[in-house]
């Protein structure tokens, strides 16, 4: 008798979407292709119970299409919980464009992507993410109204990154209050990994507060620029061995993984990157056991979505800042809830977010 042994690749082929390990009952996954502009994009709509699925578009040179698919599935799911816990009437969605943003992004490609977004009639609303900026969203706006994060001169709320950074700063201060008994970050050693749009703005808040800031990035020119501008130190060693109080992941996700989790010496992890835990159960639990306070990423990096939500709801800067500042209170509440219920901070945040979605589902049924 012959026994068929399936390899990982066969499994991927036999269950290409619904069988992906990042698939979590997503409502819709849209593959977009355009030969003329070279566009290859995937739009993931995870959940639209609370409202239209809003989430940024990431342009990245993925190693494989599987990586792109898993990224969009993970990111769109994260958006569902981010909006739910922040109290916004939005669902979770995200898009990825496969390619190098520096060399392959053109206005024609962005317009074509916008046409695909438009074809979903508002079920998915886009915004910027890694590899995108406000001007790209302005280009998308030429072909669809289902886009946020456009320039202030065109009626948008502008670049969301400074607001995201402010929310991360609030979440970090709340974690410090919980862990150290004081939210004053003066003299605290903080390592910011990734000093892009959000990371750099976070560095500014931290230096204003008198924190002892270290920066790390793969972009050497940027490191020089930011270190000179804010008088911060460039960290040259391996980030995961750094002897610091706070580790702020502000580059890409999954940096807390099997290879790194047991090396981290920081007592707080609070950063902007989405999906910091490679495996939210395993790695969240290890952090909890090691006494490392993990401020859930989707909770503390919600400033950007608060900012773009203002474009849909028409509220102003003052309300944006009030909602973003409230990340401090929510974070503190969740850290305490996790302790009281002996669960990880990530699970505590997920539970509260899921509850809000379930409540709305019940309301909709009645
Ligand atoms: P960005 O592209 O402006 O910056 C990312 C930075 O990380 C770049 O400087 C890049 O060189 C650096 N980087 C990439 N790989 C690295 C590595 N291995 N080690 C060190 N540095 C590395 O992106 P951004 O807008 O600042 O977003 C940063 C993170 O925050 C992303 O994960 C994004 O999804 C998340 N986020 C951003 C927003 C927002 O408002 N921009 C909102 C929520 C979440």
């Amino acid at each position: 008798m012959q026994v068929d042994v399936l390899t990982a690749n066969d499994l991927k082929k036999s269950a290409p979407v619904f069988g992906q390990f990042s698939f979590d009952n997503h409502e819709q996954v849209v593959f977009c292709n355009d030969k003329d502009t070279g566009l290859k994009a995937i739009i993931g709509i995870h959940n639209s119970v609370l409202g239209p699925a809003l989430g940024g578009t990431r342009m990245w040179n993925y190693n494989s299409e599987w990586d792109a698919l898993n990224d969009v599935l993970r990111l769109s799911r994260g958006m569902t919980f981010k909006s739910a816990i922040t109290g916004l009437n939005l669902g979770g969605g995200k898009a990825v464009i496969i390619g190098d943003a520096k060399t392959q992004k053109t206005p024609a490609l962005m317009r074509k992507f916008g046409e695909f977004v438009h074809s979903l009639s508002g079920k998915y609303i886009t915004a910027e993410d890694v590899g995108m900026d406000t001007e790209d969203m302005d280009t998308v706006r030429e072909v669809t109204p289902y886009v946020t994060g456009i320039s202030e001169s065109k009626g948008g709320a502008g670049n969301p990154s400074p607001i995201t950074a402010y929310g991360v700063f609030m979440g970090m201060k709340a974690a410090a209050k919980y862990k150290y008994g004081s939210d004053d970050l003066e003299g605290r050693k903080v390592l910011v990994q990734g000093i892009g749009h959000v990371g750099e703005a976070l560095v500014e808040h931290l230096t204003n507060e008198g924190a002892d800031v270290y920066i790390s990035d793969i972009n050497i020119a940027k490191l020089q620029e930011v270190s000179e501008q804010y008088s911060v130190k460039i960290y040259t060693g391996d980030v995961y061995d750094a002897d610091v109080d706070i580790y702020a992941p502000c580059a890409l996700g999954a940096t807390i993984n099997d290879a790194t989790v047991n090396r981290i010496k920081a007592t707080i992890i609070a950063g902007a990157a989405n999906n910091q835990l490679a495996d939210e159960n395993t790695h969240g639990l290890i952090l909890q056991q090691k006494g490392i306070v993990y401020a859930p990423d989707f909770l503390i990096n919600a400033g950007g979505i608060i900012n773009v939500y203002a474009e849909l709801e028409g509220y102003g800067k003052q309300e944006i800042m009030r909602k973003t500042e409230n990340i401090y209170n929510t974070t503190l509440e969740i850290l305490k809830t996790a302790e009281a219920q002996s669960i990880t901070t990530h699970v505590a945040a997920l539970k509260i977010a899921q509850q809000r979605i379930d409540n709305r589902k019940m309301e909709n049924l009645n």
Side-chain angles (χ1 to χ4, degrees):
M1 189 182 78
Q2 189 175 342
V3 179
D4 288 331
V5 179
L6 285 180
T7 65
N9 266 343
D10 292 331
L11 282 174
K12 280 177 175 174
K13 280 178 207 152
S14 62
V17 176
F18 302 124
Q20 286 298 299
F21 90 103
S22 306
F23 183 78
D24 180 36
N25 284 308
H26 288 67
E27 289 175 11
Q28 199 174 355
V29 182
V30 183
F31 292 82
C32 317
N33 179 60
D34 181 62
K35 187 166 171 277
D36 294 341
T37 58
L39 176 77
K40 289 209 182 307
I42 313 173
I43 298 171
I45 297 174
H46 176 250
N47 189 292
S48 60
V49 170
L50 293 174
L54 196 152
T57 296
R58 171 173 296 190
M59 186 159 185
W60 192 254
N61 220 350
Y62 290 97
N63 285 332
S64 73
E65 291 176 16
W66 295 113
D67 287 355
L69 176 60
N70 274 306
D71 206 28
V72 79
L73 291 175
R74 275 165 64 88
L75 290 166
S76 54
R77 173 179 180 268
M79 292 308 296
T80 296
F81 295 117
K82 184 185 305 202
S83 286
I85 202 154
T86 311
L88 310 179
N89 287 323
L90 291 173
K94 203 90 181 181
V96 296
I97 298 178
I98 300 169
D100 186 334
K102 287 202 184 79
T103 57
Q104 289 170 274
K105 189 170 64 181
T106 60
L109 180 136
M110 291 311 301
R111 271 191 292 273
K112 185 51 78 175
F113 172 69
E115 286 172 18
F116 279 107
V117 171
H118 194 68
S119 72
L120 293 167
S121 309
K123 190 172 181 190
Y124 168 67
I125 302 173
T126 197
E128 60 236 90
D129 191 62
V130 175
M132 289 289 147
D133 52 36
T134 310
E135 288 73 45
D136 297 316
M137 295 306 113
D138 290 347
T139 307
V140 171
R141 183 67 186 84
E142 290 170 19
V143 293
T144 181
Y146 305 124
V147 53
T148 54
I150 54 175
S151 311
E152 285 176 276
S153 62
K154 293 194 162 59
N159 178 9
S161 303
I163 312 292
T164 301
Y166 185 58
V168 170
F169 183 57
M170 288 294 110
M172 191 185 283
K173 281 174 82 67
K177 175 82 183 160
Y178 174 81
K179 182 74 182 173
Y180 310 134
S182 163
D183 62 17
D184 189 354
L185 298 175
E186 189 177 357
R188 292 274 170 213
K189 281 188 179 174
V190 185
L191 173 63
V192 181
Q193 178 189 35
I195 40 157
H197 291 106
V198 181
E200 181 178 349
L202 178 63
V203 166
E204 186 174 0
H205 286 297
L206 290 167
T207 50
N208 285 343
E209 178 125 336
D212 185 9
V213 180
Y214 295 77
I215 55 172
S216 157
D217 201 291
I218 49 172
N219 183 335
I220 308 297
K222 187 83 188 170
L223 277 175
Q224 287 300 343
E225 184 197 312
V226 173
S227 71
E228 281 162 25
Q229 192 175 345
Y230 300 96
S231 300
V232 295
K233 300 168 205 90
I234 297 173
Y235 188 80
T236 51
D238 194 324
V239 166
Y240 309 104
D241 298 320
D243 199 359
V244 292
D245 299 306
I246 302 172
Y247 162 46
C250 295
L252 294 180
T255 57
I256 301 157
N257 53 48
D258 286 346
T260 62
V261 70
N262 284 308
R263 287 159 54 196
I264 294 170
K265 296 191 183 75
T267 45
I268 288 176
I269 299 175
N274 286 308
N275 300 322
Q276 291 165 26
L277 303 173
D279 180 320
E280 61 189 36
N281 296 318
T282 315
H283 302 121
L285 197 60
I286 296 173
L287 292 179
Q288 184 193 18
Q289 286 161 351
K290 283 168 59 98
I292 297 174
V293 173
Y294 171 67
D297 47 13
F298 66 88
L299 165 64
I300 72 167
N301 71 13
I305 191 105
I306 292 170
N307 193 59
V308 294
Y309 188 55
E311 289 180 27
L312 302 177
E313 292 292 297
Y315 56 74
K317 269 276 176 293
Q318 220 178 345
E319 182 61 8
I320 291 171
M321 295 315 283
R322 192 197 64 75
K323 279 187 157 63
T324 306
E325 217 157 87
N326 196 43
I327 289 176
Y328 180 102
N329 297 325
T330 318
T331 306
L332 205 50
E333 187 190 313
I334 278 166
L335 298 181
K336 288 178 183 164
T337 303
E339 185 181 343
Q341 298 183 8
S342 299
I343 53 177
T344 69
T345 55
H346 191 80
V347 169
L350 280 181
K351 276 174 81 172
I352 293 172
Q354 187 63 53
Q355 192 60 57
R356 189 165 169 248
I357 296 167
D358 292 347
N359 290 348
R360 179 68 62 85
K361 235 187 208 166
M362 289 303 291
E363 281 165 30
N364 290 348
L365 283 176
N366 292 332

